[in-house]
Amino acid sequence: MATVPMMHALLVAGILFALGVTGLLVRRNILFILMSLEVMLNAAGLAFVAAGARWGQTDGQVVFIFILSMAAAEVAVGLALVIQIYHRFKSFDADRASEMKG
Amino acid sequence: MLNLLWLIPALPMAGFLILGLFGSRLSRQAIPILGAGSVGLSAAVSLWVAGSFFISPPAGYAYTQVLWRWLEAGSLHLPIALYLDPLSLIMMLVVTCVSFLIHVYSAGYMSDDEDMSRFFAYMNLFVASMVTLLLASNLALLLLGWEGVGLCSYLLIGFWYRDPVNGYAGRKAFIVTRVGDTSLLIGLFLLFRHLGTLDIQTLMERAAHQWPVGSPLAVAAGLLLLGGAVGKSAQLPLQTWLPDAMAGPTPTSALIHAATMVTAGVYLIARMHVIYQLAPSAQFAVAVAGAATLTLAGFSALTQADIKRALAYSTVSQIGYMFLALGVGAWSAAIFHFMTHAFFKALLFLGAGMIIESLDHEQNMFKMGGLRKELPVVFWTFLIAGCALAGVPLVTAGFYSKGLIVWQAEASSAGRWGFWLVAVFGVFLTAAYTFRIIFLTFFGEPKSHVHKRPGLAMTVPCVILAALSMVGGFVKTPEFLGNIHIFTGFLHHALPPVAATRAASMSEMGSEAWVTLALMAGFAVAYFCYIYRPEFSESLTRPAIGKALYRFWKSDWGMDWLYDRLFVWPVMWFARVDARDAVDSIYTGMARLCELFYHGARQTETGRLRWYAAAIALGAVIFVAVVLFL
Amino acid sequence: MILVWLIVILLGAGALAWLAGRFGAEWPRWISLVAAGFDLALVLDFWARHRAEVEIIPQGRWLAEFNRAWVPQYGIHFHLAMDGLSLLMVALTLFIGMMAVLCSWKEIQKGVGFYHFNLMWILAGILGVFLAVDLFLFYFAWELMLVPMYFLIAIWGHEHRVYAAIKFFIFTQLSGLLMLLAILGLYFVHHHATGVYTFEYSDLLGTPMSPRTAMLLMLGFFVAFAVKLPMFPFHPWLPDAHTEAPTAGSLILAALLLKTGAYGMIRFVVPLFPGAARAFAPIAMTLGVVGILYGAVLAYGQTDFKRMVAYTSVSHLGFVLLGIFAWNTLALQGAVVGMIAHALSTGALFMLVGQLYERTRTRDLNQLGGLWATAPVLSGVGMFFMLGSVGLPGLGDFVGEFLVLLGTYRAHVLLTALATVGVLASTFYGVQMVQRAFHGPNVHHWKIADLHGRELLIMGPMMILLLGLGLYPLPVLKTFSPAWKSLERSTRSVVSEARR
């Protein structure tokens, strides 16, 4: 069975993570920020799975399950917050919600 | 009967407590009875004690009464104890009796003052403190009395507190005398450090035992004690407070600032005479202070217009005589002059008080005149006192006491020609200013209307004091005039007699003759300037130099001016400038710095989510880079 | 056991007062008064019963002691002990505590329950400070008294109360932290030297250490106590805290909290590090003298009555510092008498300002004046305590200052002379205060009520005690004497070495 070299998997994970970060930083829309966050989480998850496969251990997959469930919880809370923010500011622009300025 | 001694300070103290605590509830008749009565009882007890002391003197002519234990720590054992010997006995006797007379006088003088109970309370407290000072067996207790009389002086000068001028004079007196007290305190520390006790008699014994003549420690101790004495007794250079102290009610001036408190310095030096015998240079300083003061104050007295200020300078000058006597080792002469001075100077002030009251609070002598016929009792008693002050020969007490000092200023082994000359010149000045006062107030044309005449309560004490001013000197007369020496003989149980007279000195009679001449010269000058040719005295101050000199002398040789600039203003300036406390700015500065840092840091807190995320990312990158590459 | 009861009663009464505050304002007041009074009675009874013992105490034994293991594995014990010094301070604390309750009877009208809770807990903390001989417990008590004090100032103070409260808290907290470091340092140094972990005071005495370490640790303790004392230049928190605190707060600050600093110096700084303290003494004494003069002159320059009294504290505590670092019998006796006398005279002045403020609603000396005619008793009482403050012989402060100076003269002549000038400088502000408040013309036409029953009940005992301390200080001197002997014993070897 031909296996994907770990280096490739890690490279993909890294690219995905970089894309996620870029999205997080450049998008103002809070929904897209959340999505970028998901991308970053999954990039991390991919790295775990790849590493688990490399060492023949199940730990990587266990952690991925953790990440999945955490991502689900995060989306639930995150979307609730997004709705609240939309109620308050009538906008999805994250920069509008800067009341915590020092 | 000597064990009644404690009653002498305790009775006025009780009077003070009752008047102080319940004064507002007592009737106006009860207050003077209580106030003067407590001092009267005290005087009676002291007469009683003195009588039994004379009749059956205790062993060693000294009696100690320990009342209770006071300060005990380590090697320090100070009881509250009274010590009675001829020196303190005479001082105490004079103080209580004169105080009683002045209290009686006050009952008349203050009869329509609304704050009479406060006045008598302070006066009683004063008598209690003064007696404590005199009877103290150790220096700490002496200090208690010493500060107590200072306090009463402050309170009584500022008695009419509504006028800020009086308050100023009171504060000045308190602070200036406390300048001297600082020196006295340091002297006490020195004595305790090196002699290991503060009990006066033990101190004297140990000092004589441990210190050789001329020892630097003795000199230092002598000078430090002298500092305290000049403060309290208004001698150069701390004499500036006394003339201002005349702001107080006149009985106060008579009692505290003429007869008793201001002589506390004389008492202190006499009490500590062993130190001065061991420190000839310190003793010389005492004599110089006295000699300088008696002339400078004499000149100042000549130029005053206010009758009380003139008398105040005269007091300063007479205490200068006492210091001079102490400085040449004529201990008993100083005490003798203290006693006679207490009689006639108290009387002068009481007379001045009656004049001032009858002229409706007029104190300017140039607005008086011709009072001889209006107030005969005042005139005669004042005249007797004035003659005693000037030292009119044979019939007045001042003649005997001052003559003794003048003679011993030269004849004693520590005496010098210079001192004698100054003393004789002082007699001239004294006569001049005394008769100037008498001529200005009682002779010439009446210039003010007499409003009221003094009552019996005021005149009777004056008459008694006048009698004392005449006969008080017959307890010690010169060799050629009966050679009585009851006074000095009695005192020699406590104070050493004058050290062997020098061979080349002049005779007592010769000295007295010069004194009489100087007195007549002074009288002549006063007569010429104020009776015979009044316009002459005015012409003296007309040229610029005369005017300048007049103002210079009148303002006490510019000492106040100097002290204001040297000490008072710098302290006040600092207190005003630094009222917000510069040290605080160190800490507020630190707070300011933190705030500045905060202002910088808060710029990063934009509230923008994406900035934070970027910062996290950047931080993570830097962190990883640091971990990987370093 | 009595020692625990003293503290527990106060803590319990505080909690009870808070709860009782719901049922009416009178309850907390009475509860606090009774608790403090009962404690005071306990202490006085103890003092009376042990009078003979108090004066000649067998070597190295406490008068009363309570010791239970707290965290034994780290050498922490709940160890309270009392000797003559603590006894005096405890009695003073409880007496002043009663006065504090009495003087806030009318002044405090909001949050009465919580107020008395704080008051009682401060007192409990102070008692803990005076009684703890386990350094961990000591630090615990030290902090315990700060927090309620902070509330007292921040909630019931005057206009700038929050600023003052925060300033007070930062100063004392930071310096307390230094002390904590020094305590831990000492703990480990002791372990290093002996292999035993302990916070026990008597075990830590005489811990061998290098002079450098000793100096550092000593400074840690010293700074904490010097801030509390307060020593120049650590004093700026004091005028603010005093000025803004309610009357009882100022009273407790001046009369008790400052004394914990002095107590700490006597109990810990010198005995624990005798060599370092000796080396440091010239600096400490110089700072003391600077404080005496600086405080006096600044007091003279103030126009706020309370601020003025606050600066006099800086001046008076300078004498105490001077006496402590002279470290001989006379100076120490003087320092202790000075501490008590300052508590009485300055505390009373603060209460007097409070009473004046209740009547006139001002503390500005420029606004006052001529009050003697309208309130002679109040003015007379003010005069009395002013005289105490300027060191008039016959009143307590004089005994303290006189003994301190007498003792200090042996150690340092020049500093003594300068400090004596400080006695003179005290006259400046003293007479100034009387002139501006009570004498002079009554320009603003004040017509105020004179002191009445409750206020006389406060001032009377204060006056009698101050006078008693001035004329018959023997009970205090004798009570402290054996405590001093055992303190001195712990430092004697070093001192005699230095002499040689």
Side-chain angles (χ1 to χ4, degrees):
Chain A
M1 192 169 103
T3 54
V4 182
M6 194 189 68
M7 204 54 205
H8 293 187
L10 283 186
L11 221 58
V12 172
I15 291 168
L16 267 180
F17 192 83
L19 282 173
V21 170
T22 319
L24 187 84
L25 294 183
V26 300
R27 295 308 296 238
R28 283 204 207 170
N29 191 317
I30 201 159
L31 279 173
F32 279 91
I33 291 177
L34 264 182
M35 283 185 203
S36 307
L37 211 59
E38 289 302 313
V39 172
M40 285 161 71
L41 278 174
N42 283 302
L46 181 59
F48 271 111
V49 173
R54 165 72 178 76
W55 302 108
Q57 297 271 335
T58 51
D59 294 8
Q61 289 165 25
V62 171
V63 172
F64 185 66
I65 304 285
F66 265 119
I67 291 179
L68 270 187
S69 47
M70 200 205 73
E74 184 234 312
V75 166
V77 175
L79 282 177
L81 284 173
V82 166
I83 290 165
Q84 280 301 317
I85 287 174
Y86 186 74
H87 268 294
R88 258 186 113 115
F89 299 100
K90 302 283 176 242
S91 148
F92 283 120
D93 187 348
D95 287 356
R96 298 277 297 268
S98 63
E99 281 190 350
M100 292 285 277
K101 194 166 76 178
Chain B
M1 283 307 121
L2 291 179
N3 51 10
L4 291 179
L5 193 59
W6 64 275
L7 277 174
I8 300 171
L11 283 167
M13 197 62 194
F16 161 72
L17 287 177
I18 296 171
L19 286 167
L21 292 176
F22 311 110
S24 53
R25 294 184 206 156
L26 294 172
S27 72
R28 290 193 68 80
Q29 284 77 37
I31 290 167
I33 292 173
L34 197 66
S38 65
V39 179
L41 278 177
S42 172
V45 174
S46 62
L47 279 170
W48 182 270
V49 166
S52 60
F53 194 96
F54 276 120
I55 294 162
S56 55
Y61 273 88
Y63 171 76
T64 309
Q65 184 173 33
V66 179
L67 297 180
W68 68 81
R69 293 155 71 195
W70 187 27
L71 299 177
E72 288 187 11
S75 55
L76 181 75
H77 290 278
L78 293 179
I80 299 259
L82 306 177
Y83 177 82
L84 189 71
D85 70 347
L87 173 61
S88 51
L89 179 79
I90 287 174
M91 299 280 293
M92 173 192 84
L93 209 54
V94 173
V95 165
T96 49
C97 293
V98 172
S99 296
F100 173 60
L101 293 175
I102 294 176
H103 273 75
V104 172
Y105 174 92
S106 310
Y109 191 85
M110 301 296 286
S111 57
D112 38 353
D113 194 287
E114 52 170 340
D115 261 346
M116 192 164 52
S117 67
R118 192 161 59 90
F119 178 80
F120 275 105
Y122 290 166
M123 291 285 269
N124 278 357
L125 180 63
F126 169 78
V127 177
S129 310
M130 188 72 203
V131 174
T132 311
L133 191 169
L134 298 175
L135 293 177
S137 80
N138 61 61
L139 285 173
L141 185 61
L142 184 140
L143 196 68
L144 190 146
W146 185 272
E147 296 282 344
V149 292
L151 164 71
C152 295
S153 154
Y154 155 70
L155 292 173
L156 283 163
I157 296 168
F159 178 74
W160 288 309
Y161 56 82
R162 286 188 183 81
D163 188 350
V165 175
N166 298 345
Y168 173 79
R171 296 204 300 283
K172 182 174 174 185
F174 201 35
I175 290 172
V176 174
T177 51
R178 279 203 121 193
V179 171
D181 298 352
T182 308
S183 155
L184 174 62
L185 262 176
I186 299 173
L188 253 64
F189 303 148
L190 185 143
L191 287 173
F192 181 73
R193 169 75 179 84
H194 295 283
L195 297 177
T197 179
L198 284 177
D199 183 82
I200 295 171
Q201 299 312 313
T202 327
L203 264 183
M204 297 298 102
E205 274 168 34
R206 289 193 191 166
H209 203 67
Q210 294 178 11
W211 287 345
V213 174
S215 119
L217 283 173
V219 174
L223 289 177
L224 286 166
L225 294 181
L226 174 63
V230 295
K232 204 57 137 190
S233 291
Q235 297 293 293
L236 221 61
L238 295 178
Q239 87 288 27
T240 56
W241 64 271
L242 188 61
D244 286 328
M246 296 301 127
T250 306
T252 308
S253 311
L255 178 60
I256 300 183
H257 305 117
T260 55
M261 183 194 85
V262 284
T263 53
V266 179
Y267 173 74
L268 177 73
I269 291 178
R271 186 88 277 176
M272 307 297 288
H273 62 271
V274 176
I275 303 282
Y276 289 92
Q277 286 175 326
L278 294 173
S281 48
Q283 197 180 6
F284 183 67
V286 175
V288 170
T293 312
L294 83 88
T295 30
L296 296 193
F299 279 113
S300 292
L302 265 178
T303 51
Q304 301 302 317
D306 183 323
I307 183 168
K308 282 180 74 180
R309 281 183 85 87
L311 289 174
Y313 278 110
S314 146
T315 307
V316 174
S317 170
Q318 295 307 306
I319 298 170
Y321 270 107
M322 298 178 212
F323 270 67
L324 177 60
L326 297 171
V328 298
W331 312 105
S332 19
I335 303 303
F336 188 28
H337 196 53
F338 149 76
M339 183 178 83
T340 58
H341 178 257
F343 298 148
F344 61 71
K345 190 50 71 61
L347 176 53
L348 284 171
F349 270 106
L350 297 186
M354 292 191 285
I355 296 170
I356 291 165
E357 222 192 27
S358 20
L359 297 182
D360 200 19
H361 301 286
E362 180 55 64
Q363 303 205 4
N364 189 339
M365 288 190 285
F366 291 100
K367 294 185 180 161
M368 299 173 183
L371 293 173
R372 184 172 32 140
K373 301 214 174 58
E374 294 283 342
L375 302 166
V377 181
V378 178
F379 169 65
W380 285 108
T381 51
F382 200 92
L383 183 67
I384 290 168
C387 290
L389 169 61
V392 170
L394 306 183
V395 292
T396 65
F399 168 72
Y400 298 102
S401 59
K402 202 186 285 178
L404 191 63
I405 292 177
V406 174
W407 177 54
Q408 289 184 341
E410 197 275 330
S412 131
S413 63
R416 275 157 219 258
W417 270 106
F419 289 152
W420 183 82
L421 272 178
V422 171
V424 171
F425 184 62
V427 173
F428 165 74
L429 283 176
T430 312
Y433 67 68
T434 310
F435 287 105
R436 173 176 175 266
I437 297 170
I438 292 175
F439 292 148
L440 279 176
T441 46
F442 292 104
F443 292 81
E445 291 302 308
K447 291 173 195 139
S448 301
H449 177 66
V450 173
H451 289 267
K452 62 174 188 182
R453 272 158 238 286
L456 271 184
M458 289 159 81
T459 48
V460 170
C462 290
V463 172
I464 296 173
L465 281 173
L468 284 172
S469 304
M470 288 188 2
V471 303
F474 294 128
V475 288
K476 162 71 186 149
T477 59
E479 227 167 297
F480 60 95
L481 282 174
N483 196 15
I484 304 170
H485 46 256
I486 310 171
F487 187 85
T488 42
F490 181 58
L491 261 186
H492 286 166
H493 295 292
L495 294 170
V498 180
T501 316
R502 288 185 305 157
S505 63
M506 63 167 35
S507 72
E508 191 167 8
M509 198 182 222
S511 170
E512 298 285 14
W514 279 105
V515 168
T516 313
L517 267 179
L519 164 80
M520 280 156 66
F523 175 80
V525 167
Y527 186 80
F528 181 77
C529 288
Y530 295 98
I531 299 281
Y532 187 66
R533 296 273 302 277
E535 64 281 3
F536 176 71
S537 64
E538 282 158 34
S539 73
L540 277 178
T541 56
R542 214 158 292 140
I545 176 148
K547 197 181 219 164
L549 206 58
Y550 176 78
R551 277 180 44 201
F552 187 50
W553 286 348
K554 192 176 179 192
S555 67
D556 201 3
W557 302 73
M559 301 278 261
D560 271 333
W561 183 89
L562 190 68
Y563 289 165
D564 276 351
R565 273 154 191 80
L566 276 183
F567 307 111
V568 183
W569 291 359
V571 172
M572 285 173 74
W573 173 83
F574 182 78
R576 202 176 53 240
V577 167
D578 198 29
R580 306 291 302 275
D581 198 348
V583 178
D584 193 25
S585 52
I586 298 174
Y587 300 98
T588 48
M590 276 155 72
R592 201 60 44 72
L593 215 66
C594 288
E595 218 167 282
L596 223 62
F597 182 72
Y598 153 74
H599 279 297
R602 71 180 280 199
Q603 299 302 322
T604 62
E605 299 280 301
T606 55
R608 297 190 180 182
L609 196 60
R610 296 176 312 125
W611 276 100
Y612 296 167
I616 292 172
L618 194 68
V621 167
I622 292 174
F623 181 74
V624 170
V626 166
V627 169
L628 284 185
F629 298 111
L630 291 182
Chain C
M1 204 55 208
I2 177 181
L3 305 180
V4 185
W5 278 117
L6 288 178
I7 296 177
V8 167
I9 288 173
L10 289 182
L11 291 177
L16 200 62
W18 193 359
L19 290 176
R22 298 160 181 231
F23 306 113
E26 291 300 304
W27 283 100
R29 294 184 181 131
W30 281 108
I31 290 171
S32 312
L33 187 64
V34 168
F38 183 70
D39 259 14
L40 182 62
L42 275 182
V43 170
L44 292 181
D45 174 60
F46 178 86
W47 197 352
R49 274 190 289 119
H50 293 71
R51 207 168 52 220
E53 230 178 303
V54 163
E55 286 167 13
I56 23 159
I57 183 172
Q59 302 204 344
R61 226 197 74 197
W62 303 104
L63 286 171
E65 202 176 0
F66 179 84
N67 194 357
R68 291 284 182 283
W70 190 4
V71 191
Q73 53 271 48
Y74 297 121
I76 299 173
H77 291 259
F78 191 88
H79 189 181
L80 300 172
M82 179 155 78
D83 63 355
L85 177 62
S86 312
L87 176 62
L88 290 171
M89 290 298 131
V90 166
L92 178 71
T93 307
L94 294 167
F95 173 72
I96 295 290
M98 278 182 80
M99 296 296 130
V101 175
L102 280 175
C103 79
S104 36
W105 208 268
K106 284 273 172 331
E107 187 190 341
I108 301 304
Q109 293 298 344
K110 59 164 190 178
V112 182
F114 188 49
Y115 176 87
H116 285 90
F117 167 78
N118 283 320
L119 207 58
M120 289 294 109
W121 279 54
I122 297 172
L123 292 179
I126 295 171
L127 284 193
V129 165
F130 287 144
L131 293 174
V133 284
D134 181 280
L135 285 180
F136 187 86
L137 182 63
F138 176 77
Y139 183 75
F140 184 79
W142 185 263
E143 294 294 308
L144 178 64
M145 65 186 185
L146 294 189
V147 182
M149 194 69 219
Y150 169 80
F151 284 127
L152 214 59
I153 301 174
I155 301 180
W156 289 275
H158 298 290
E159 311 89 71
H160 306 294
R161 55 181 178 268
V162 176
Y163 170 77
I166 291 176
K167 198 169 181 178
F168 163 76
F169 198 75
I170 291 177
F171 265 85
T172 43
Q173 191 65 19
L174 268 183
S175 58
L177 223 53
L178 278 181
M179 178 167 75
L180 180 64
L181 284 180
I183 290 176
L184 291 176
L186 183 61
Y187 176 72
F188 288 118
V189 166
H190 185 261
H191 173 253
H192 186 72
T194 63
V196 181
Y197 280 121
T198 178
F199 282 105
E200 174 65 40
Y201 171 69
S202 47
D203 294 341
L204 290 174
L205 282 176
T207 302
M209 61 187 110
S210 72
R212 209 181 131 71
T213 321
M215 181 57 88
L216 278 175
L217 295 178
M218 194 276 297
L219 283 178
F221 279 94
F222 179 79
V223 168
F225 298 135
V227 167
K228 216 35 161 292
L229 196 58
M231 179 189 80
F232 178 91
F234 297 136
H235 65 273
W237 65 270
L238 179 96
D240 285 314
H242 269 322
T243 313
E244 300 304 330
T247 304
S250 305
L251 171 66
I252 289 183
L253 266 177
L256 303 176
L257 249 59
L258 307 191
K259 302 307 168 319
T260 60
Y263 172 84
M265 297 255 188
I266 299 176
R267 173 77 74 209
F268 298 106
V269 172
V270 187
L272 286 176
F273 316 99
R278 198 175 171 77
F280 189 66
I283 300 174
M285 286 164 73
T286 309
L287 288 173
V289 170
V290 172
I292 293 172
L293 294 170
Y294 191 77
V297 173
L298 252 70
Y300 174 75
Q302 301 304 316
T303 50
D304 184 316
F305 205 151
K306 254 185 151 178
R307 233 181 151 71
M308 194 214 92
V309 182
Y311 275 107
T312 69
S313 289
V314 177
S315 185
H316 283 133
L317 271 298
F319 279 103
V320 174
L321 184 68
L322 191 65
I324 292 171
F325 274 86
W327 203 250
N328 58 47
T329 310
L330 285 170
L332 249 290
Q333 290 276 18
V336 170
V337 175
M339 282 155 73
I340 299 174
H342 171 262
L344 296 171
S345 64
T346 309
L349 278 177
F350 275 122
M351 289 198 284
L352 196 85
V353 181
Q355 291 160 353
L356 212 53
Y357 185 78
E358 279 179 35
R359 290 166 166 77
T360 60
R361 312 311 296 175
T362 182
R363 301 188 309 265
D364 188 350
L365 284 167
N366 293 327
Q367 300 288 316
L368 299 170
L371 295 181
W372 199 295
T374 160
V377 178
L378 190 148
S379 310
V381 170
M383 170 81 85
F384 179 87
F385 287 112
M386 175 281 274
L387 293 173
S389 193
V390 305
L392 189 84
L395 302 180
D397 298 79
F398 168 76
V399 175
E401 282 164 19
F402 186 71
L403 291 178
V404 164
L405 292 172
L406 215 51
T408 316
Y409 191 87
R410 280 162 198 264
H412 206 300
V413 175
L414 181 67
L415 284 177
T416 312
L418 285 173
T420 315
V421 175
V423 179
L424 166 69
S426 69
T427 323
F428 300 167
Y429 63 71
V431 291
Q432 168 93 347
M433 177 202 108
V434 168
Q435 178 67 27
R436 294 174 92 171
F438 306 127
H439 284 170
N442 190 348
V443 244
H444 295 273
H445 305 290
W446 294 111
K447 269 202 90 61
I448 59 174
D450 215 337
L451 294 188
H452 52 75
R454 177 178 53 88
E455 293 166 331
L456 287 173
L457 193 69
I458 299 171
M459 289 304 183
M462 300 283 274
M463 289 171 81
I464 292 169
L465 281 180
L466 192 62
L467 198 62
L469 196 60
L471 291 176
Y472 191 64
L474 222 51
V476 171
L477 296 176
K478 277 181 151 180
T479 305
F480 176 57
S481 177
W484 156 246
K485 286 212 179 78
S486 68
L487 285 172
E488 193 197 20
R489 210 176 302 121
S490 65
T491 61
R492 189 172 292 154
S493 57
V494 178
V495 173
S496 59
E497 225 166 76
R499 284 258 167 78
R500 235 179 284 133

